[in-house]
Amino acid sequence: CGLLTELAHGVLPGMIARGRGGILNVASTAAFQPGPGMAVYFATKAFVLSFTEALHEEVRGTGVHVTALCPGPT
């Protein structure tokens, strides 16, 4: 999760300055439920989703789009 956060904060200033850009973070349907036996995985996906939603709101109106992809089992 640390690298995801660092990368997003590293590229956002340039995108905001240009008034365009996008970040697509890959979470999972695991972000929406607990995962007995895989707690760290499920919690990590929940962080990705929550961080993405918060970042989306922070950059609203700047021309930058932040989205979470939440695929099911693959």
Side-chain angles (χ1 to χ4, degrees), residues 6-73:
E6 288 181 41
L7 284 170
H9 284 115
V11 299
L12 272 174
M15 291 181 185
I16 293 170
R18 285 188 300 278
R20 61 186 169 87
I23 294 175
L24 176 63
N25 290 327
V26 180
S28 167
T29 55
F32 300 98
Q33 58 199 4
M38 294 180 60
V40 173
Y41 176 79
F42 280 65
T44 300
K45 295 304 179 176
F47 171 81
V48 172
L49 179 60
S50 182
F51 175 71
T52 303
E53 289 174 339
L55 207 54
H56 170 81
E57 291 302 321
E58 289 180 16
V59 300
R60 183 182 294 274
T62 65
V64 177
H65 301 278
V66 182
T67 306
L69 174 66
C70 298

